[in-house]
Amino acid sequence: MSSTVKSHKPHDRMAAYLTEDMGAVNRLIAERMASEHAPRIPQVTAHLVDAGGKRLRPMLTLAAAHLCGYTGGYHVHLAATVEFIHTATLLHDDVVDESGQRRGRPTANLLWDNKSSVLVGDYLFSRSFQLMVETGNLRVLDILANASATIAEGEVLQLTASQDLATTEGIYLQVVRGKTAALFSAATQVGGVIAGAPDAHVQALYDYGDALGIAFQIVDDLLDMQGDAAATGKNVGDDFRERKLTLPLIKAVARADAEERAFWVRTIEKGKQVEGDLDHALALLHKHDALIDTSTDARIWAARAVEALQPLPDHPVKTMLSELADYVVERIT
Amino acid sequence: MSSTVKSHKPHDRMAAYLTEDMGAVNRLIAERMASEHAPRIPQVTAHLVDAGGKRLRPMLTLAAAHLCGYTGGYHVHLAATVEFIHTATLLHDDVVDESGQRRGRPTANLLWDNKSSVLVGDYLFSRSFQLMVETGNLRVLDILANASATIAEGEVLQLTASQDLATTEGIYLQVVRGKTAALFSAATQVGGVIAGAPDAHVQALYDYGDALGIAFQIVDDLLDMQGDAAATGKNVGDDFRERKLTLPLIKAVARADAEERAFWVRTIEKGKQVEGDLDHALALLHKHDALIDTSTDARIWAARAVEALQPLPDHPVKTMLSELADYVVERIT
């Protein structure tokens, strides 16, 4: 299960190490996204699934199970479960955000319609539920049920917090835990649970996934403000245009003088944006070191992820997980 | 647990008989729809839950558990589960149908927005999942996971079948099983399973719920064509305007001559409807006995529901379930 080519990217090395299992996950996904009666379902799902993505979440489940010495087959079900939950939330997110692009391709809600995205998302969520029930492991079900509720709650919280300048870093963290970290931590945790790992190891896997997810999302929000569209598949300033209070913005708003505050009220709260506003917003972020401080926060969370691995047994996968946490923040330019 | 007032309506009598349990279900629903972080969630949910509805589905679960002699407490969890799934699908349905009214009140997507309806629906679905996991009964989880998938698949099928004159009565039945009967049959079935009922009784409960749900939906579709808005909370002809191929329409289309077919192609397939089209559609339904034949179908399914109860033990609840099936088709004028 090891690759002869040493890639710079830890998730590529992990994919190479887990290549057999990932093949099984992909086959299970293809099998379960089928629908005898409603061909629209595999069409919409394939559009997203084939577009690739890094399959990071299912890989985390497989990696955790390997790290904990699992020899059964249910980690494949759980990895597919996690990917289906992720795909379902992407479909619903694109409807909620009224997005037109995802992974460099038109979104499903644009290619078909919002209706299809809502209903196919529901279908994938149900399918994920069937997959996890098949494992017959109630603790795993409990973890994934709680993660699902945290995800949905985080999405609603993001909806109500968006456009609200009173959003604090604490609320941001809750939103991020919901929209990203809850599924990362559930993904790693269930890998340990299905392997019958001791509580301390399961806790370590949870902590790792949680910190990795938070670092990952902070970096994502940072790249939205400074990345280039070719590398990220997103346009710089999308979050600004959608009036999302991400961490760099929250920091800049907290440090704003009266005139700057008026700018944020107009552009974010009232949504009255004109030509040149994005450039001015970026200038304010620089002026207040909001981007530098945000990347420091991301590095702190990545370091916490590495540290969380400490109680776990030595294993090639452990090294890869550690490198993965470092790599997440390496994306910051 | 019995009422002194003898109501004409069997579901009122059942509600009176199950009043203590229904109180517990309502308390559990109120407790679990809360969200510490996102107040939008209980607002949206309460709008729907308080609007009443007959709470028919949770009552079916409680009734089935009583009928099978259950003395534990998890039937309350399962009843709340079923109501949450139902509420989640209503929220998503209203987005998909672009509805403005539900139970005589403006829909949540109109009062808040589509985003809130999508995300709060996801939250309730997750909550339902947590509730059912708490029962620790894997067979129950399996049934509800399968029902969820059937519901979602049915919704997608309805989406693609709508506006398609080639929709057959067979496809209609699949859609109806998905959108309505799957949750009815899961509701009755899990009541039996949690009570540890023998397989023959669980099967009887499934068959009853399935036939009752189909009868219920056929009547609903029939009332859309002949009911009055005050009694049904819907406007006559909503399905026609939304170009849904319901059973009366499918029958009329199957019996159409060339000129009539051109009318259906224009109004349903092409969606070019003008003043007077609904009246003409209703005239065609009458001409071809489509409404009479549809009500006959509904009565056949109601009779099947009554017959399905036969293997179950004698019990006051059994009589009420039987009367409920008769009552569903009594709504036909």
Side-chain angles (χ1 to χ4, degrees):
Chain A
M1 283 208 287
S2 72
S3 165
T4 49
V5 183
K6 175 103 175 163
S7 164
H8 168 61
K9 297 181 181 175
H11 59 82
D12 287 343
R13 286 203 297 283
M14 205 183 286
Y17 185 85
L18 299 165
T19 187
E20 267 181 47
D21 278 358
M22 279 306 293
V25 171
N26 288 336
R27 283 191 296 279
L28 192 57
I29 285 174
E31 181 192 314
R32 297 305 175 92
M33 75 186 198
S35 160
E36 192 191 337
H37 304 308
R40 173 71 55 86
I41 292 173
Q43 286 163 8
V44 172
T45 308
H47 173 69
L48 256 182
V49 169
D50 293 349
K54 292 176 291 294
R55 294 266 208 278
L56 189 55
R57 293 158 189 81
M59 230 166 12
L60 288 173
T61 300
L62 298 177
H66 276 268
L67 176 48
C68 296
Y70 185 56
T71 54
Y74 282 132
H75 61 325
V76 171
H77 286 69
L78 292 173
T81 295
V82 163
E83 187 67 3
F84 270 156
I85 294 177
H86 178 54
T87 309
T89 60
L90 291 185
L91 282 168
H92 287 186
D93 275 359
D94 285 341
V95 171
V96 169
D97 291 345
E98 295 160 14
S99 313
Q101 238 196 356
R102 159 89 61 193
R103 294 173 182 167
R105 299 172 65 177
T107 53
N109 48 318
L110 209 73
L111 280 184
W112 287 274
D113 46 31
N114 278 341
K115 304 174 185 197
S116 297
S117 292
V118 170
L119 296 179
V120 174
D122 288 350
Y123 182 73
L124 293 182
F125 197 52
S126 303
R127 286 303 231 178
S128 78
F129 178 19
Q130 287 180 309
L131 275 166
M132 60 182 114
V133 169
E134 284 174 37
T135 68
N137 186 313
L138 282 165
R139 199 166 154 211
V140 152
L141 290 166
D142 189 46
I143 291 166
L144 289 166
N146 293 338
S148 298
T150 304
I151 293 168
E153 195 176 22
E155 300 271 5
V156 179
L157 188 62
Q158 173 171 264
L159 189 67
T160 50
S162 119
Q163 306 167 21
D164 182 358
L165 290 185
T167 304
T168 61
E169 294 199 14
I171 293 174
Y172 171 79
L173 199 61
Q174 268 174 10
V175 170
V176 166
R177 280 217 154 92
K179 70 187 279 192
T180 309
L183 194 55
F184 274 66
S185 57
T188 48
Q189 206 184 356
V190 297
V193 168
I194 201 74
D199 284 350
H201 292 181
V202 172
Q203 181 65 46
L205 287 166
Y206 171 87
D207 291 341
Y208 170 81
D210 180 59
L212 183 74
I214 294 171
F216 186 89
Q217 187 60 50
I218 294 177
V219 170
D220 215 54
D221 291 345
L222 194 60
L223 290 179
D224 184 81
M225 291 298 181
Q226 62 178 28
D228 63 300
T232 62
K234 291 170 70 177
N235 299 314
V236 171
D238 272 349
D239 290 341
F240 175 75
R241 276 182 289 270
E242 290 168 20
R243 303 151 69 191
K244 283 187 186 164
L245 270 290
T246 61
L247 193 52
L249 231 71
I250 290 169
K251 288 182 188 293
V253 169
R255 297 161 191 177
D257 62 24
E259 192 187 330
E260 291 166 13
R261 199 176 159 80
F263 170 79
W264 295 121
V265 167
R266 173 173 64 80
T267 54
I268 302 294
E269 276 200 356
K270 301 194 174 152
K272 289 181 184 156
Q273 299 188 7
V274 296
E275 186 83 30
D277 278 345
L278 176 60
D279 288 337
H280 187 60
L282 293 173
L284 292 180
L285 295 181
H286 281 291
K287 175 186 166 190
H288 291 297
D289 291 332
L291 296 174
I292 290 172
D293 289 355
T294 299
S295 58
T296 302
D297 286 357
R299 283 180 219 285
I300 290 170
W301 282 107
R304 280 184 195 159
V306 172
E307 201 185 297
L309 293 169
Q310 199 269 326
L312 292 161
D314 282 339
H315 193 285
V317 161
K318 182 177 173 178
T319 311
M320 289 178 208
L321 288 174
S322 179
E323 290 168 352
L324 180 66
D326 291 333
Y327 179 72
V328 161
V329 286
E330 265 180 47
R331 290 194 298 157
I332 307 173
T333 48
Chain B
M1 281 208 289
S2 72
S3 166
T4 49
V5 184
K6 177 103 176 164
S7 164
H8 167 63
K9 297 180 179 175
H11 58 82
D12 288 343
R13 286 202 298 282
M14 204 182 287
Y17 185 85
L18 299 165
T19 187
E20 268 181 46
D21 278 359
M22 279 306 294
V25 170
N26 288 336
R27 282 191 297 278
L28 192 58
I29 286 175
E31 180 192 314
R32 298 306 176 90
M33 76 186 197
S35 159
E36 193 190 336
H37 305 309
R40 175 72 54 89
I41 292 173
Q43 286 162 9
V44 173
T45 309
H47 173 71
L48 256 182
V49 168
D50 294 347
K54 291 177 291 296
R55 295 267 208 279
L56 189 55
R57 293 157 189 82
M59 230 164 16
L60 287 174
T61 300
L62 299 177
H66 276 269
L67 176 49
C68 296
Y70 185 55
T71 54
Y74 282 132
H75 61 324
V76 171
H77 286 69
L78 293 173
T81 296
V82 163
E83 187 67 3
F84 271 156
I85 294 176
H86 178 54
T87 310
T89 58
L90 290 186
L91 282 168
H92 286 187
D93 275 359
D94 285 341
V95 172
V96 169
D97 290 346
E98 296 160 15
S99 313
Q101 240 197 351
R102 160 89 60 192
R103 293 175 182 164
R105 300 172 65 178
T107 53
N109 50 316
L110 208 74
L111 280 184
W112 288 274
D113 45 31
N114 278 341
K115 303 173 182 193
S116 297
S117 292
V118 170
L119 296 179
V120 174
D122 288 351
Y123 182 73
L124 293 182
F125 197 52
S126 304
R127 286 304 231 177
S128 79
F129 177 20
Q130 287 180 308
L131 275 167
M132 63 182 112
V133 169
E134 285 173 36
T135 69
N137 186 312
L138 282 165
R139 197 164 157 214
V140 152
L141 290 167
D142 188 47
I143 290 165
L144 289 166
N146 292 338
S148 298
T150 304
I151 292 169
E153 195 176 23
E155 299 271 5
V156 180
L157 188 62
Q158 172 170 264
L159 189 65
T160 49
S162 117
Q163 306 167 23
D164 182 357
L165 290 185
T167 304
T168 60
E169 294 198 15
I171 293 175
Y172 171 80
L173 198 61
Q174 268 175 9
V175 169
V176 166
R177 280 215 155 91
K179 70 186 279 192
T180 308
L183 194 54
F184 273 67
S185 58
T188 47
Q189 207 184 355
V190 296
V193 168
I194 201 73
D199 284 350
H201 292 181
V202 172
Q203 182 65 46
L205 287 166
Y206 171 88
D207 292 340
Y208 170 81
D210 179 59
L212 183 74
I214 294 171
F216 185 89
Q217 188 59 50
I218 294 178
V219 170
D220 215 53
D221 291 345
L222 194 60
L223 290 180
D224 184 81
M225 291 298 182
Q226 61 179 29
D228 63 302
T232 61
K234 291 171 70 177
N235 300 314
V236 171
D238 272 349
D239 290 342
F240 175 74
R241 276 183 289 269
E242 290 167 20
R243 303 150 69 189
K244 282 187 186 164
L245 271 288
T246 60
L247 193 52
L249 231 71
I250 292 169
K251 288 182 187 292
V253 169
R255 297 161 192 177
D257 61 26
E259 190 188 330
E260 291 167 10
R261 199 177 160 78
F263 170 79
W264 295 120
V265 168
R266 173 173 64 79
T267 55
I268 301 294
E269 277 200 356
K270 302 193 175 154
K272 289 182 185 157
Q273 298 188 7
V274 296
E275 185 83 30
D277 278 347
L278 176 60
D279 287 338
H280 187 60
L282 293 174
L284 292 179
L285 295 181
H286 281 290
K287 175 186 168 190
H288 290 297
D289 291 332
L291 297 173
I292 289 171
D293 289 355
T294 298
S295 57
T296 302
D297 286 357
R299 284 180 218 285
I300 289 170
W301 281 106
R304 279 185 196 158
V306 171
E307 201 183 296
L309 294 168
Q310 198 267 327
L312 291 162
D314 282 339
H315 193 285
V317 161
K318 182 177 173 180
T319 311
M320 289 178 208
L321 288 173
S322 178
E323 289 167 354
L324 180 65
D326 290 332
Y327 179 72
V328 161
V329 286
E330 267 180 45
R331 292 195 296 158
I332 309 172
T333 48

